[in-house]
Amino acid sequence: MTIDQTIQQLINECIHRGMIEPMDEVYVRNQILSLLHLEGFSIDESEFVEKHEDDDPDLIIPSLLEEIIQYAVKHNVIEDFLDAKEILSANVMNCFLASPSIINQKFYEKYSVSPKGATDYFYTSSKNSNYIQMNRIKKNIVYKAPTEYGELDITINLSKPEKDPKQIAKERMAPKTTGYPVCLLCKENEGYAGRIGHPARSNHRMIRLNIRGEEWFLQYSPYVYYNEHCIVLSKEHRNMLISRETFGRLLDFVEYFPHYFIGSNADLPIVGGSILSHDHYQGGRYDFPMALAKEENPFTVVDFPNVSCSIVKWPMSVIRIRGSKKEELIELADRILGHWKSYSDPEVDILAYTGDTPHNTITPIARIRNGQYEMDLVLRNNRTSDAHPLGIFHPHADVHHIKKENIGLIEVMGLAVLPARLKNELVEVEKFLLDEPNEVADYHLEWAEQLKQKYAGRVDTENVEEFVRLEVGNKFLRVLMDAGVFKRDEQGKAAFRTFIQSLNKK
């Protein structure tokens, strides 16, 4: 296709999806022509070909954008490096988007009919605008791995583009900025054009929320790891903090959006996920493995007879509380948090403090299930030792070849986000098991030899991928077991029961 045909096809697709009205066609076309430094426009209707109906609808707009970006690079409209291409792509799609006020108005009009209808609208809009980068997300390797705790979700993350040498050089040479926006989650990212080293956000929109008297913002993740993966962020750039107010906000959110769950990363390094400098939560419309896990050891906490409590059968240490009265759950969660923050049990390596440095905190998750409020409180500890310098309750060295990064909210709930390097590295492990020429990385070699012994006489070209994927799942299970503060052995279970009993001591 010519560039004019590609532009027209993009416009037609966006009209078809209701992003703009037919009356907007000429205006939007001229905006795009300006971005591409084009002074004229002409297409031969007889040669114009629309995308086929059997094309993946999530990929039609991204593929047309890619053609436009390739044209811009070829004709020196932009330089050939990542950020320049991202900025132009976002600017093109911004031509099809209404202002934040209009999008918020439409959202709340739909919300008055159905909360689900409102989020459906905003999620679809975020995909159509290519803010959610579906063409990259579909590259991820995704599967489920069976374990005694249920099926774990495994994702090898291939969605984030690798920086090319030109991009890296540009970032090194870029002048220091004024720090605007302060971070990737700040509200000032909405509509921000982007710059070298800071992603393009021209096509980014947020929904305003009032949560407990504060202004918060709802957006979707550009690289969703699960269905309708959303982020809820504070208007104020402030550090993450798990507190009574956190529990209240989480339960308020699921009351507003009962078809979503929401959770928070913990608020300490090592156990707190990637961004601790901006208070935010993550949610979505997905049942994680932990949410589906069975309950065991039910118990009651004094002063809370109407709240059902239990331990969750999960490799990490999780207390589940459930009730019909929101404020009772907030009160109990706050009591458990306060007690845990000062709790020590040296027999199982749990110390609340080293000097004045705190180690204990909680990763909380909220949902509404069967008409009741429900919270999972995952006990975390970030202490380190000489044997485990990255964290006693962190993936240990023998699983680092698969997963070394912090175990944040998403992993806690049973979804492994594994590094892109594994895509090719696991293929080499498969070749090793098949006795084919291979280049197994040194850090995988011991594991590969263990697998060869385990599956001796059973591996062939038809099942080798299945076996390796199963064993990656087992490694992720080990990651979660390492992160559990009370282990699932007899000593750990007894120690967990002791902590539960201590909740009732005055």
Side-chain angles (χ1 to χ4, degrees), residues 232 250-251 253-254 260-264 281-284 364-367:
V232 181
L250 297 182
L251 290 175
F253 180 87
V254 294
Y260 274 11
F261 83 90
I262 191 169
S264 175
Y281 312 128
Q282 296 180 78
I365 301 101
R367 64 185 73 89

Side-chain angles (χ1 to χ4, degrees), residues 393-451:
F393 304 104
H394 177 86
H396 291 175
D398 62 323
V399 298
H400 285 178
H401 67 107
I402 297 295
K403 177 72 172 176
K404 184 177 182 179
E405 298 78 14
N406 292 0
I407 303 307
L409 172 68
I410 292 174
E411 287 89 358
V412 162
M413 295 186 291
L415 192 160
V417 182
L418 302 179
R421 60 177 171 82
L422 290 177
K423 176 185 178 183
N424 295 326
E425 291 176 1
L426 295 180
V427 171
E428 297 305 315
V429 172
E430 292 172 12
K431 292 177 182 177
F432 180 90
L433 298 183
L434 294 169
D435 292 320
E436 296 177 356
N438 63 80
E439 297 179 1
V440 173
D442 290 344
Y443 44 78
H444 288 311
L445 190 56
E446 181 179 357
W447 178 58
E449 289 172 342
Q450 292 169 353
L451 298 189

Side-chain angles (χ1 to χ4, degrees), residues 89-109:
S89 178
N91 280 334
V92 169
M93 291 314 301
N94 187 46
C95 297
F96 297 95
L97 283 176
S99 65
S101 61
I102 299 300
I103 287 177
N104 274 261
Q105 179 183 345
K106 288 184 178 179
F107 180 89
Y108 281 105
E109 286 174 355

